[in-house]
Amino acid sequence: MVLPFDILEYNQRLKGTKQRMADKGIEVLLITDPANMNYLSGYDAWSFYVHQMMVIIIDEPQPLWIGRFQDANGARATTWIYDENVIAYPDYYVHSTTHHPMDFIAEILTQIGEGKRNIGVEMDHYYFTGKALEQLKKGLPDAKFHDGSLLVNQVRMIKSDQEIEYMRRAAKIAELAMTRGVESIRPGVRECDTAADIYYNLVKGTPEFGGEYPAIVPLLPTGENTSIPHLTWTDRPFVEGNAVIVELAGCYKRYHVPLARTVSIGQPSEKLQYLAPVVLEGIQNVLLAAKPGVTCGDLEEVWRKSIKKHGFEKEARLGYSVGLNYPPDWGEHTASIRKGDMTVLQPNMTFHLIPALWFNTDGIEISETFRVTETGCEQFTNYPQELIIRDHLDLSGQIS
Amino acid sequence: MVLPFDILEYNQRLKGTKQRMADKGIEVLLITDPANMNYLSGYDAWSFYVHQMMVIIIDEPQPLWIGRFQDANGARATTWIYDENVIAYPDYYVHSTTHHPMDFIAEILTQIGEGKRNIGVEMDHYYFTGKALEQLKKGLPDAKFHDGSLLVNQVRMIKSDQEIEYMRRAAKIAELAMTRGVESIRPGVRECDTAADIYYNLVKGTPEFGGEYPAIVPLLPTGENTSIPHLTWTDRPFVEGNAVIVELAGCYKRYHVPLARTVSIGQPSEKLQYLAPVVLEGIQNVLLAAKPGVTCGDLEEVWRKSIKKHGFEKEARLGYSVGLNYPPDWGEHTASIRKGDMTVLQPNMTFHLIPALWFNTDGIEISETFRVTETGCEQFTNYPQELIIRDHLDLSGQIS
């Protein structure tokens, strides 16, 4: 078995997690977020559509993995957890109205004497359902439950050099997919054709390293739909005059580097021509301001002042901490670049800065993913930032 | 706006949902499952990574959509819900530790006088978190909460002719992606290269209609990993003698038709040669037995007897109801083809029959997706069922 990180790095992550558990009075942490399971153990499989869990016990060196019988081999194959700590529930617990996996898990915790302790659960994480919470509470009536949401995510915020290296590879994949995707956009080509080109490159990766599935599919809103960021592609053909927003992320070892650009097929609208420099100036100002010691809220203020000069305001946050993840989101749900966020930037924090502007019938997205360095910040991708214009030369097939 | 179904069909779905609500004493149903939101309203966007909801009130003709401000345009664009029933929460509710979207939603329900009724929530569905449940309970102290899990899923089980037509298109896409994927498997090609070919075809679709993202990524376990169904691809090259399992689904208008095959690169192992006819015979026996009036449990018995003759037993379920879905699963979580499942087959129910056998170091998967007809069943895809052998002729590039 080859783990993506040194065992010492996993030990460090576990130590950081236990430190935070101790701070919050949590003795047993039940981890159901696939990214957090991966972060601490290496576990990597598309098995999060059934209930599964990693258990961290504050005074035990080894975690437990508990999941479906047919997935237990995957836990043995992809983690550093001892085989005897991989515990499987039978298949009749899967999508059943009579047997719930959390009943099985509660029984295991009781059997090993952990059922009466201070137990943390990831209350607001994907895949930890209301029912899961209720069944655990029923099965462990003597436990004291605590909200362990974002506990591991906080540990994840500052990346190691190896994690940064994986993000650099993800960045190469993002550049490649953006290049090929933009090249394919022309009148008559369908949105799904371009999405296919993008996906092909995201998954194939480079000759040196392959790509993985991103936690969000490539988004490709077109025409009026550029006002709606989260619609996915259709099979309608592009037409001359359309604007197209391309938002994608390269992914390597589950680490993401997102990248968004706005493309005009032929001459851009006057509005887009006016908006693009405003957004670019704002991005440059934020990137110039980003350095250790500054808060996420400070960055928002820089952006706000920058666009206010031109008469714009933005409703949504500008960005968020990014890295390791599984569907449905590549964001880490810790720091957001928005008003009032007091997160202090530290070296090797990583953010997706996506200060999109959306209006009623159009919008613009240009983004950069960056790493905080010792003295400032560094972009992961190297892709022209301006509004991309697919002119007649491009459209005739000769790509510049 | 073009909805994928006639408004009468949406009305029918809503009526079926309200009937089941009445049966269970639920007056207000809070729907957070993206597939159920889509099924009842048409809503289709990758926005389920933030909290969002559809509200069905038993004595109101119009549902509500409640979600993030930047997604509200998408609700207006993709649903039949009146614009005034699309309600947006501000962005500071997103991934915040101080503001929870369910607090906002509880306030809306209170304001419109629905806060003291019998409220159903989808307790065990993806994206309805433990925290969401707790915040709703806090915000609506006078409501009586009921478990509305699977309520809409039950309505979804019997497909309309239009849904079947969409699944037929998904089947065409599945055949295409399987054909191209299998063709690309040969020594020296990396798993990610084949996954890229598969994804390309799933998304591009046919010249007549485009494909969409499947709810589960293509799975491609190889070599020893064929014992582990849910590992995703790596960038390791295939080698002669490898077995490869390909499990994928075509997707059209969010309707899925899954298809799995097992491929041997060069001469298959004796074990695979022995297993394949056992599985094929079992599949044929199940398909012959599937017809209205038979239960899912009956089908399992047919399978069990069929493989027992050869000395095999299977731990996991053989299949499940399939159709409309979003990540992380294309299964509908209602009927499972397994011992004791009393679901009675009815015309236009649709199942993925995937009676895989997994051992310690290998496994075999061959699957069919079928529709129950008036008198029996009908397969969606037309793809050779047997173990696929990539022989030297194939491997030299001349595909038969």
Side-chain angles (χ1 to χ4, degrees), chain B residues 158-220:
Chain B
I158 297 179
K159 272 68 181 175
S160 70
D161 291 343
Q162 184 69 68
E163 289 179 290
I164 295 294
E165 173 55 28
Y166 288 163
M167 290 182 74
R168 292 210 169 100
R169 293 184 185 188
K172 288 280 169 236
I173 294 170
E175 288 169 7
L176 179 68
M178 182 63 79
T179 301
R180 297 279 183 269
V182 168
E183 280 173 7
S184 86
I185 295 174
R186 65 186 66 200
V189 167
R190 302 173 303 172
E191 295 172 28
C192 60
D193 299 330
T194 292
D197 283 331
I198 291 171
Y199 243 128
Y200 178 84
N201 286 285
L202 289 178
V203 171
K204 191 177 181 77
T206 76
E208 291 76 36
F209 46 84
E212 299 180 10
Y213 59 93
I216 304 178
V217 296
L219 297 166
L220 207 63

Side-chain angles (χ1 to χ4, degrees), chain A residues 13 20 36 39 150-160 163-164 167 255 296 320-324 332-337 341-351 370-372:
Chain A
R13 294 169 177 191
R20 283 170 189 269
N36 290 341
Y39 184 73
L150 302 183
L151 190 149
V152 180
N153 304 48
Q154 296 285 352
V155 183
R156 279 162 47 197
M157 282 189 74
I158 297 179
K159 273 69 181 175
S160 70
E163 289 178 291
I164 296 294
M167 289 182 74
Y255 285 82
C296 284
Y320 43 79
S321 186
V322 73
L324 175 68
E332 293 187 319
H333 298 193
T334 46
S336 288
I337 304 178
D341 190 303
M342 298 302 288
T343 308
V344 178
L345 267 54
Q346 296 178 60
N348 275 4
M349 284 186 174
T350 50
F351 291 92
F370 67 86
R371 169 179 88 89
V372 180

Side-chain angles (χ1 to χ4, degrees), chain B residues 303-304 307-308 311-315 357:
Chain B
W303 164 263
R304 186 159 21 93
I307 64 167
K308 201 179 174 181
F312 292 104
E313 275 183 55
K314 177 169 166 52
E315 197 261 345
L357 295 177

Side-chain angles (χ1 to χ4, degrees), chain A residues 8-297:
Chain A
L8 295 176
E9 186 159 342
Y10 288 106
N11 283 345
Q12 204 57 35
R13 294 169 177 191
L14 190 61
K15 199 174 144 192
T17 300
K18 287 185 174 178
Q19 185 58 55
R20 283 170 189 269
M21 286 167 64
D23 294 346
K24 286 179 177 278
I26 293 173
E27 298 169 284
V28 180
L29 181 62
L30 309 186
I31 296 172
T32 45
D33 184 315
N36 290 341
M37 290 177 71
N38 175 305
Y39 184 73
L40 292 173
S41 74
Y43 185 65
D44 183 27
W46 190 287
S47 58
F48 42 87
Y49 72 92
V50 297
H51 290 293
Q52 57 182 15
M53 180 183 285
M54 240 182 96
V55 183
I56 308 288
I57 302 167
I58 199 151
D59 36 23
E60 295 283 348
Q62 273 277 323
L64 302 179
W65 180 98
I66 310 178
R68 187 182 188 179
F69 182 77
Q70 66 182 243
D71 296 320
N73 273 346
R76 292 185 197 103
T78 65
T79 77
W80 56 270
I81 298 175
Y82 294 161
D83 284 2
E84 59 266 34
N85 280 26
V86 171
I87 300 166
Y89 59 76
D91 211 67
Y92 55 78
Y93 280 93
V94 171
H95 301 155
S96 158
T97 52
T98 53
H99 291 77
H100 199 282
M102 291 298 162
D103 299 342
F104 179 93
I105 288 171
E107 210 174 297
I108 296 286
L109 292 173
T110 304
Q111 281 174 16
I112 62 172
E114 304 293 337
K116 299 182 179 183
R117 300 185 82 175
N118 287 289
I119 294 183
V121 291
E122 297 184 305
M123 283 290 285
D124 208 20
H125 288 230
Y126 309 124
Y127 312 121
F128 185 71
T129 64
K131 178 89 171 178
L133 174 66
E134 280 208 345
Q135 293 308 110
L136 279 177
K137 284 187 168 172
K138 267 186 213 160
L140 299 168
D142 300 321
K144 189 155 178 248
F145 283 91
H146 300 256
D147 190 354
S149 294
L150 302 183
L151 190 149
V152 180
N153 304 48
Q154 296 285 352
V155 183
R156 279 162 47 197
M157 282 189 74
I158 297 179
K159 273 69 181 175
S160 70
D161 292 344
Q162 184 67 72
E163 289 178 291
I164 296 294
E165 173 55 29
Y166 288 164
M167 289 182 74
R168 292 210 169 100
R169 293 185 185 188
K172 287 281 169 235
I173 294 170
E175 288 169 4
L176 179 69
M178 183 63 81
T179 302
R180 297 280 183 266
V182 167
E183 280 172 6
S184 86
I185 295 175
R186 65 186 67 201
V189 166
R190 302 173 303 173
E191 294 172 28
C192 59
D193 299 330
T194 293
D197 283 331
I198 291 170
Y199 244 128
Y200 178 83
N201 286 286
L202 290 178
V203 171
K204 192 177 182 77
T206 76
E208 291 76 37
F209 45 86
E212 297 180 10
Y213 58 94
I216 304 179
V217 296
L219 297 165
L220 207 64
T222 300
E224 288 218 349
N225 285 346
T226 52
S227 67
I228 312 175
H230 297 124
L231 295 193
T232 48
W233 65 85
T234 71
D235 54 13
R236 287 189 292 267
F238 297 116
V239 297
E240 174 119 23
N242 270 167
V244 186
I245 290 171
V246 182
E247 183 178 353
L248 56 78
C251 180
Y252 184 77
K253 302 280 179 202
R254 309 300 327 135
Y255 285 82
H256 293 75
V257 168
L259 181 66
R261 287 294 181 267
T262 302
V263 180
S264 174
I265 306 177
Q267 186 65 11
S269 69
E270 281 187 24
K271 186 166 172 192
L272 267 187
Q273 290 184 61
Y274 182 75
L275 286 172
V278 174
V279 173
L280 291 178
E281 182 187 335
I283 288 175
Q284 284 312 318
N285 287 334
V286 172
L287 291 175
L288 283 169
K291 63 179 178 189
V294 163
T295 68
C296 284

Side-chain angles (χ1 to χ4, degrees), chain B residues 149-160:
Chain B
S149 292
L150 301 184
L151 190 151
V152 180
N153 304 48
Q154 296 285 351
V155 183
R156 278 162 46 196
M157 282 188 74
I158 297 179
K159 272 68 181 175
S160 70

